[in-house]
Short mmCIF file of all heavy atoms in Angstrom, two decimals:
data_model
loop_
_atom_site.label_atom_id
_atom_site.label_comp_id
_atom_site.label_asym_id
_atom_site.label_seq_id
_atom_site.Cartn_x
_atom_site.Cartn_y
_atom_site.Cartn_z
N THR A 4 -26.89 -38.63 -18.34
CA THR A 4 -27.04 -38.90 -16.94
C THR A 4 -27.96 -37.92 -16.19
O THR A 4 -28.88 -38.36 -15.44
CB THR A 4 -25.65 -38.85 -16.22
OG1 THR A 4 -24.84 -39.83 -16.89
CG2 THR A 4 -25.73 -39.18 -14.80
N LEU A 6 -30.46 -36.20 -17.58
CA LEU A 6 -31.85 -36.46 -18.03
C LEU A 6 -32.42 -37.81 -17.32
O LEU A 6 -33.50 -37.75 -16.71
CB LEU A 6 -31.84 -36.76 -19.55
CG LEU A 6 -31.74 -35.51 -20.37
CD1 LEU A 6 -31.51 -35.94 -21.87
CD2 LEU A 6 -33.00 -34.70 -20.38
N PHE A 11 -36.35 -38.92 -16.95
CA PHE A 11 -36.47 -39.07 -18.32
C PHE A 11 -35.90 -40.43 -18.75
O PHE A 11 -34.86 -40.88 -18.32
CB PHE A 11 -35.84 -37.84 -19.26
CG PHE A 11 -36.51 -36.61 -19.05
CD1 PHE A 11 -36.07 -35.59 -18.25
CD2 PHE A 11 -37.56 -36.35 -19.86
CE1 PHE A 11 -36.64 -34.49 -18.09
CE2 PHE A 11 -38.19 -35.07 -19.75
CZ PHE A 11 -37.80 -34.12 -18.79
N ARG A 17 -25.51 -44.68 -28.70
CA ARG A 17 -24.35 -45.52 -28.31
C ARG A 17 -24.89 -46.79 -27.54
O ARG A 17 -24.29 -47.90 -27.88
CB ARG A 17 -23.50 -44.71 -27.46
CG ARG A 17 -22.18 -45.32 -27.15
CD ARG A 17 -21.22 -44.45 -26.37
NE ARG A 17 -20.94 -43.23 -27.18
CZ ARG A 17 -21.08 -41.96 -26.61
NH1 ARG A 17 -21.35 -41.79 -25.37
NH2 ARG A 17 -20.72 -40.96 -27.39
N MET A 21 -26.60 -47.74 -32.40
CA MET A 21 -26.94 -46.77 -33.62
C MET A 21 -25.99 -45.68 -33.74
O MET A 21 -26.06 -44.90 -34.63
CB MET A 21 -28.30 -46.22 -33.24
CG MET A 21 -29.49 -47.08 -33.31
SD MET A 21 -29.86 -47.77 -34.95
CE MET A 21 -30.38 -46.23 -35.78
N LYS A 24 -24.78 -44.11 -37.28
CA LYS A 24 -25.88 -44.36 -38.31
C LYS A 24 -26.27 -42.96 -38.84
O LYS A 24 -26.30 -41.96 -38.12
CB LYS A 24 -27.12 -45.13 -37.75
CG LYS A 24 -26.81 -46.53 -37.13
CD LYS A 24 -26.43 -47.46 -38.23
CE LYS A 24 -26.17 -48.80 -37.63
NZ LYS A 24 -25.89 -49.83 -38.51
N ASP A 27 -31.46 -40.40 -41.03
CA ASP A 27 -32.80 -41.06 -41.30
C ASP A 27 -33.03 -42.31 -40.40
O ASP A 27 -34.12 -42.51 -39.93
CB ASP A 27 -32.81 -41.40 -42.77
CG ASP A 27 -33.08 -40.18 -43.68
OD1 ASP A 27 -33.57 -39.14 -43.13
OD2 ASP A 27 -32.66 -40.26 -44.90
N VAL A 34 -38.91 -43.11 -33.99
CA VAL A 34 -40.33 -43.47 -34.39
C VAL A 34 -40.66 -44.82 -33.76
O VAL A 34 -41.72 -44.92 -33.24
CB VAL A 34 -40.57 -43.30 -35.89
CG1 VAL A 34 -41.93 -43.90 -36.26
CG2 VAL A 34 -40.45 -41.92 -36.32
N SER A 38 -40.33 -42.12 -29.46
CA SER A 38 -39.48 -41.12 -28.75
C SER A 38 -39.27 -39.85 -29.51
O SER A 38 -39.30 -39.88 -30.77
CB SER A 38 -38.08 -41.74 -28.36
OG SER A 38 -38.27 -42.90 -27.71
N GLU A 46 -26.85 -30.29 -38.59
CA GLU A 46 -27.16 -30.81 -39.93
C GLU A 46 -28.33 -31.88 -39.79
O GLU A 46 -28.79 -32.26 -40.91
CB GLU A 46 -25.93 -31.38 -40.52
CG GLU A 46 -24.73 -30.53 -40.59
CD GLU A 46 -24.89 -29.25 -41.40
OE1 GLU A 46 -25.57 -29.32 -42.48
OE2 GLU A 46 -24.43 -28.19 -41.03
N ILE A 54 -43.92 -38.30 -42.14
CA ILE A 54 -43.30 -39.11 -41.14
C ILE A 54 -44.00 -38.75 -39.80
O ILE A 54 -43.84 -37.58 -39.44
CB ILE A 54 -41.86 -39.09 -41.08
CG1 ILE A 54 -41.21 -39.62 -42.37
CG2 ILE A 54 -41.28 -39.98 -39.85
CD1 ILE A 54 -39.62 -39.44 -42.33
N LYS A 57 -42.55 -37.99 -32.92
CA LYS A 57 -42.92 -37.27 -31.67
C LYS A 57 -42.25 -35.93 -31.54
O LYS A 57 -42.66 -35.09 -30.75
CB LYS A 57 -42.54 -38.06 -30.41
CG LYS A 57 -43.41 -39.27 -30.18
CD LYS A 57 -44.93 -38.86 -29.89
CE LYS A 57 -45.76 -40.05 -29.73
NZ LYS A 57 -47.20 -39.68 -29.42
N LEU A 75 -28.50 -28.61 -17.29
CA LEU A 75 -29.56 -28.49 -16.22
C LEU A 75 -30.65 -27.65 -16.88
O LEU A 75 -31.83 -27.85 -16.58
CB LEU A 75 -29.00 -27.94 -14.92
CG LEU A 75 -28.19 -28.85 -14.14
CD1 LEU A 75 -27.57 -28.13 -12.86
CD2 LEU A 75 -28.99 -30.06 -13.65
N LEU A 81 -37.18 -29.11 -20.83
CA LEU A 81 -37.84 -30.19 -21.18
C LEU A 81 -38.92 -30.64 -20.21
O LEU A 81 -40.12 -31.00 -20.42
CB LEU A 81 -36.99 -31.53 -21.28
CG LEU A 81 -35.99 -31.45 -22.55
CD1 LEU A 81 -34.94 -32.57 -22.43
CD2 LEU A 81 -36.78 -31.54 -23.75
N ILE A 84 -41.93 -28.38 -20.94
CA ILE A 84 -42.72 -28.93 -22.11
C ILE A 84 -43.56 -30.01 -21.64
O ILE A 84 -44.64 -30.09 -21.89
CB ILE A 84 -41.65 -29.27 -23.13
CG1 ILE A 84 -41.08 -28.00 -23.76
CG2 ILE A 84 -42.45 -29.98 -24.21
CD1 ILE A 84 -39.86 -28.38 -24.73
N LEU A 91 -48.93 -35.14 -28.06
CA LEU A 91 -48.07 -35.15 -29.18
C LEU A 91 -48.26 -36.29 -30.09
O LEU A 91 -48.13 -37.38 -29.92
CB LEU A 91 -46.56 -34.99 -28.72
CG LEU A 91 -46.31 -33.79 -27.96
CD1 LEU A 91 -44.83 -33.77 -27.40
CD2 LEU A 91 -46.45 -32.55 -28.80
#
Side-chain angles (χ1 to χ4, degrees):
T4 302
L6 285 166
F11 289 97
R17 188 175 301 132
M21 292 289 295
K24 300 288 184 182
D27 288 336
V34 168
S38 301
E46 306 298 320
I54 296 175
K57 292 293 182 181
L75 288 175
L81 290 172
I84 293 169
L91 300 175

